[in-house]
Amino acid sequence: MSSTQPVVIIGAGPSGLLLAKYLEQNQIPVVVYEGDPHANHRPQGGTLDLHEDTGLLALKETHLLEEASTMMRIEGEAMKVVDKSGKVWLDENVPEESEASADTKNVPVGEIRGRPEIDRTDLRNLLIKSLSPSTIKWDHRITSVTALSPSSYQITFVDKPTITTPYLVGADGTFSLVRPLLHDLKPDYSGISMYELEILPSNLTPALEQYIGKGALIVLDDGKALMPQMNSGRKCKIYLALKVPFDWQKENPLPDTNKREWLVNLFNGWLPQAKEIIMASQEDSIGQRKIYQFDPELTWDTDKTGVTIMGDAAHAMSPFAGEGVNQALADALLLGQTLVPLFRPQPQSLKSASLPPFPLSLLPISPPSPSLERPTPLVEPHTSDLHKALRGFEKKMMLRAKVEMKGSKENMDMFFGDEPARHLAEMLTFHGRVGMVLGWLSWPVDKIKGLFSP
Ligand SMILES: Cc1cc2nc3c(=O)[nH]c(=O)nc-3n(C[C@H](O)[C@H](O)[C@H](O)COP(=O)(O)OP(=O)(O)OC[C@H]3O[C@@H](n4cnc5c(N)ncnc54)[C@H](O)[C@@H]3O)c2cc1C
């Protein structure tokens, strides 16, 4: 394909895979090194809601939205908010009359907020399938990254030969090993520890299924959260979250047997469904994790030229605003759009042709796509151009992410603060109303289909 060195991406999560896809569709050589031995090595977690201006846009720009839409569940947006006594503060599963628009009458709020759900595993598999088979190097866990010079990086792996590259992207998540090349800060423990459980379809009784609803049930009280969420195929993922000190899970380890009973005890005195939900889960697949987050004000500068980071590696945030994946996909798109013109510069004649003379230049025309059938020649980017472009990318990324990092933190404080169910229900109701009134949060199926058109 070329004589330039490939862009090296560490991590086959959503951001690494989407960037690889964007570069491949622009015929820029790329390789992804992933620590997992293969694609199905571990479950990828629960369901994600994709947002219009970030996750959905990134899928559209990589021509994956149409296929992704076949896996999306609009009904999965429905939320039900309950407190420990069983009082239901909000239930979007119930159709609501809208006063704002005749179009939305009799449509459940969950169907029009415009944030369709997709299983994490489906999203990852879709991205993997879209790449050339040799692009992802599975079973390549990196152990260190060293800058040999400001524009050359050495990467060492577990039991694999060392490589060097001038173009390095850290998409390796919250505990990134690439990040220390750029700055020394680490994400902080958020104060929230979690358990992850799963109910198989065969164990999901009709009564439980009805109680949980079509999307997510969120039971909040006493600095604790019980959050079952429906995934595709009637699988139900459960997150149990506790506001506890960093060492709490270590000091209170899950027992070897009767794990579910032990977890039920954490929710003593809660509504009877709390026990039923936990006891319906699989004893042998209970996982635990801590939630980390960066300070929303995080920024950095560096003299390194050809390295950057994105996604959780750049701006890990708590999951309580459902933004992490959306930001990660938006980062990947932005970085792709930053890199392509450096590797495939437009000839001067095309550049000037893209800017019609006044007054035509005021018209909203799209610039010529870099992924033309006959792309411009591939070049090694000039070092100073690359440096400037990557620092610009990082600034834009962090400016966008900062808003969501703040929002995620505020939501987390609300989930584990006073009267959380009431506050969450009020917030969701407000957003539902605002969305209906302004229309900018309203994304019925036909609008999503509209995104497919070029
Ligand atoms: C419990 C929980 C629930 C969440 N729910 C949501 C949600 O509802 N909505 C949402 O938008 N976001 C959610 N998130 C956040 C979301 O999962 C992340 O923001 C998103 O996955 C970040 O994507 P990424 O590509 O940056 O990194 P990751 O998804 O973390 O991918 C990093 C990849 O790098 C690989 N890797 C790591 N270290 C190495 C190494 N040393 N060598 C080689 N490979 C390595 C990993 O194996 C992984 O494949 C949730 C997160 C958690 C923890």
Side-chain angles (χ1 to χ4, degrees):
M1 188 196 278
S2 79
S3 55
T4 69
Q5 301 200 52
V7 174
V8 168
I9 301 172
I10 309 298
S15 64
L17 292 171
L18 194 116
L19 175 62
K21 165 71 176 145
Y22 191 87
L23 295 178
E24 264 194 17
Q25 82 190 22
N26 285 282
Q27 299 177 39
I28 292 170
V30 56
V31 57
V32 181
Y33 291 101
E34 165 59 48
D36 285 356
H38 52 80
N40 304 319
H41 171 63
R42 62 193 161 97
Q44 292 298 309
T47 178
L48 304 160
D49 59 326
L50 296 176
H51 306 169
E52 176 199 345
D53 51 351
T54 49
L56 290 172
L57 179 66
L59 291 177
K60 184 191 174 208
E61 293 297 316
T62 45
H63 314 296
L64 294 171
L65 186 57
E66 187 158 10
E67 197 175 347
S69 76
T70 63
M71 304 163 186
M72 288 177 190
R73 287 166 290 109
I74 306 290
E75 76 283 1
E77 284 188 80
M79 286 208 191
K80 181 171 171 181
V81 181
V82 177
D83 67 20
K84 70 175 178 184
S85 74
K87 174 170 176 172
V88 179
W89 288 86
L90 176 78
D91 187 355
E92 294 179 344
N93 292 285
V94 180
E96 276 191 9
E97 290 283 323
S98 163
E99 290 160 16
S101 155
D103 293 348
T104 57
K105 271 194 176 170
N106 299 322
V107 180
V109 173
E111 284 188 19
I112 61 164
R113 196 184 297 122
R115 300 184 159 203
E117 297 278 334
I118 188 167
D119 283 12
R120 239 187 112 107
T121 306
D122 289 343
L123 177 65
R124 194 185 197 217
N125 287 343
L126 172 72
L127 287 163
I128 290 169
K129 203 181 71 175
S130 75
L131 296 171
S132 308
S134 59
T135 299
I136 307 175
K137 309 292 179 205
W138 297 101
D139 205 11
H140 278 73
R141 180 151 298 281
I142 65 166
T143 50
S144 69
V145 189
T146 320
L148 302 176
S149 74
S151 57
S152 174
Y153 310 100
Q154 184 179 67
I155 304 168
T156 57
F157 299 93
V158 178
D159 298 334
K160 297 283 188 306
T162 297
I163 62 158
T164 58
T165 177
Y167 313 123
L168 175 60
V169 179
D172 50 343
T174 304
F175 305 105
S176 172
L177 293 180
V178 179
R179 187 173 55 225
L181 291 177
L182 298 171
H183 66 79
D184 292 336
L185 297 169
K186 290 192 169 74
D188 299 318
Y189 172 57
S190 67
I192 303 302
S193 293
M194 276 194 177
Y195 299 90
E196 289 180 36
L197 296 74
E198 190 180 26
I199 306 177
L200 297 180
S202 52
N203 289 337
L204 190 65
T205 62
L208 268 190
E209 190 171 4
Q210 171 148 26
Y211 190 75
I212 292 166
K214 289 189 161 43
L217 167 66
I218 302 180
V219 193
L220 301 174
D221 238 317
D222 300 339
K224 298 176 189 175
L226 174 112
M227 300 176 287
Q229 51 165 238
M230 293 307 296
N231 291 16
S232 62
R234 289 185 64 247
K235 271 188 276 179
C236 178
K237 180 100 188 159
I238 310 166
Y239 295 110
L240 306 180
L242 310 174
K243 186 175 180 179
V244 287
F246 182 82
D247 282 331
W248 192 89
Q249 284 180 322
K250 197 167 143 200
E251 288 161 5
N252 299 275
L254 271 169
D256 292 337
T257 55
N258 299 328
K259 292 185 175 67
R260 290 172 303 183
E261 287 80 353
W262 187 90
L263 290 170
V264 165
N265 274 332
L266 298 175
F267 295 88
N268 255 338
W270 284 40
L271 66 170
Q273 287 86 355
K275 179 176 180 180
E276 289 167 31
I277 288 166
I278 295 171
M279 291 307 292
S281 70
Q282 295 299 104
E283 172 91 11
D284 54 2
S285 63
I286 298 174
Q288 62 182 49
R289 66 162 78 227
K290 295 189 202 325
I291 302 297
Y292 290 83
Q293 62 188 8
F294 269 117
D295 180 342
E297 300 300 328
L298 172 68
T299 56
W300 63 86
D301 205 357
T302 178
D303 62 351
K304 308 283 188 321
T305 301
V307 57
T308 192
I309 51 177
M310 62 179 176
D312 280 8
H315 46 62
M317 61 188 88
S318 84
F320 297 100
E323 273 292 343
V325 155
N326 287 286
Q327 293 300 309
L329 293 173
D331 296 348
L333 176 62
L334 179 62
L335 182 53
Q337 290 167 336
T338 304
L339 290 175
V340 167
L342 295 171
F343 281 87
R344 290 198 180 276
Q346 298 276 307
Q348 210 53 42
S349 56
L350 245 183
K351 271 190 197 163
S352 48
S354 72
L355 195 64
F358 180 83
L360 286 182
S361 55
L362 289 177
L363 294 175
I365 56 159
S366 305
S369 161
S371 53
L372 296 169
E373 272 177 21
R374 280 173 44 214
T376 52
L378 196 61
V379 299
E380 298 279 357
H382 193 278
T383 308
S384 62
D385 291 346
L386 184 62
H387 182 66
K388 201 171 149 203
L390 290 184
R391 302 300 75 83
F393 155 74
E394 288 161 357
K395 286 199 168 63
K396 275 192 207 161
M397 168 177 69
M398 294 309 286
L399 210 57
R400 166 174 39 73
K402 176 180 172 170
V403 179
E404 308 305 342
M405 293 161 90
K406 273 188 177 162
S408 300
K409 195 170 175 317
E410 283 164 15
N411 280 5
M412 187 183 76
D413 292 344
M414 176 178 63
F415 270 51
F416 300 95
D418 292 337
E419 294 192 84
R422 178 170 74 81
H423 288 303
L424 177 60
E426 282 171 5
M427 190 189 83
L428 289 171
T429 307
F430 175 76
H431 280 295
R433 297 273 176 261
V434 171
M436 273 187 271
V437 172
L438 298 181
W440 53 269
L441 289 175
S442 305
W443 276 81
V445 182
D446 59 343
K447 284 199 185 174
I448 289 169
K449 282 188 180 149
L451 283 170
F452 303 147
S453 45

